[in-house]
Amino acid sequence: MHAIAATGVVLLGPIQIIRRTKDRKHRFIGRSWVILMYFVCTSGMFIYSLTGSFTIFHALAIWTFISTTLGVIAIRRGNIRRHIGMMVGSYLGALTAGIFAAVVPGREIPQLAVSDPGLLWSLIAVIIVAVTTWAIFVLRFVSGHDRQLNTGETAEKGVSGEPLTPSKLSNAAPVTAK
């Protein structure tokens, strides 16, 4: 389960980093990515296959959990630069750990590659198809627009069609520039 979630993290990361618009689709995929990252960090705490004790990788899992959380807090507070730094850093850490897990002898992935390569590649293919399907679904069917006031005659009415009063306008979501 740890490796499956980690593969999802590794595959969704570039979508988040490369896409130019940071809109509702970005938040939708980003929330999925954060959930997967939390699962990877938590499940990684139960892996003791190399030494049988707490290792540097357990410490890195704790740090990644914290840095991912700090990235979420940063964007909630509007600190985009810190959000980007924390999330890209978390992604690069996960990618590095994934490379380590895939190439170091004695780990589960290299052992599976030798003992049953067909199973390994089948699992990788299923994960890639599932994550790609999820990303395509979000990018195609989730509205990319944030809640904002429209211009013209619809600016006088809210989403529900009710007239906007000054009190409703002050509680409305902020308008973001595109």
Side-chain angles (χ1 to χ4, degrees):
M1 295 306 294
H2 175 80
I4 291 169
T7 304
V9 164
V10 169
L11 293 173
L12 289 177
I15 295 169
Q16 292 298 85
I17 295 168
I18 293 171
R19 283 191 71 238
R20 290 178 55 100
T21 56
K22 306 303 183 196
D23 53 8
R24 189 167 172 231
K25 294 175 184 187
H26 177 84
R27 286 193 312 273
F28 210 86
I29 292 174
R31 288 176 179 144
S32 303
W33 185 87
V34 167
I35 290 167
L36 287 172
M37 183 62 89
Y38 283 160
F39 183 83
V40 168
C41 293
T42 304
S43 63
M45 297 306 293
F46 298 98
I47 299 173
Y48 293 98
S49 61
L50 285 180
T51 64
S53 63
F54 191 86
T55 66
I56 186 70
F57 295 101
H58 295 98
L60 291 173
I62 292 169
W63 169 246
T64 302
F65 194 95
I66 291 169
S67 65
T68 300
T69 302
L70 291 174
V72 170
I73 291 169
I75 200 61
R76 295 273 186 184
R77 292 183 176 169
N79 190 338
I80 296 169
R81 182 168 290 202
R82 182 177 177 114
H83 170 74
I84 291 169
M86 290 296 175
M87 294 308 193
V88 170
S90 294
Y91 172 74
L92 292 175
L95 187 61
T96 302
I99 291 169
F100 172 80
V103 299
V104 172
R107 302 286 293 185
E108 295 295 324
I109 294 173
Q111 288 178 4
L112 186 59
V114 171
S115 65
D116 195 350
L119 175 62
L120 175 66
W121 289 110
S122 296
L123 286 171
I124 290 172
V126 167
I127 296 166
I128 290 171
V129 168
V131 171
T132 303
T133 302
W134 172 247
I136 289 170
F137 172 80
V138 170
L139 295 174
R140 181 151 165 86
F141 296 111
V142 171
S143 169
H145 301 291
D146 293 324
R147 291 178 296 187
Q148 60 184 343
L149 296 177
N150 296 325
T151 56
E153 62 185 43
T154 58
E156 298 172 359
K157 295 186 177 185
V159 175
S160 63
E162 300 173 7
L164 284 176
T165 61
S167 65
K168 286 182 183 175
L169 188 56
S170 66
N171 292 332
V175 177
T176 56
K178 298 226 177 199

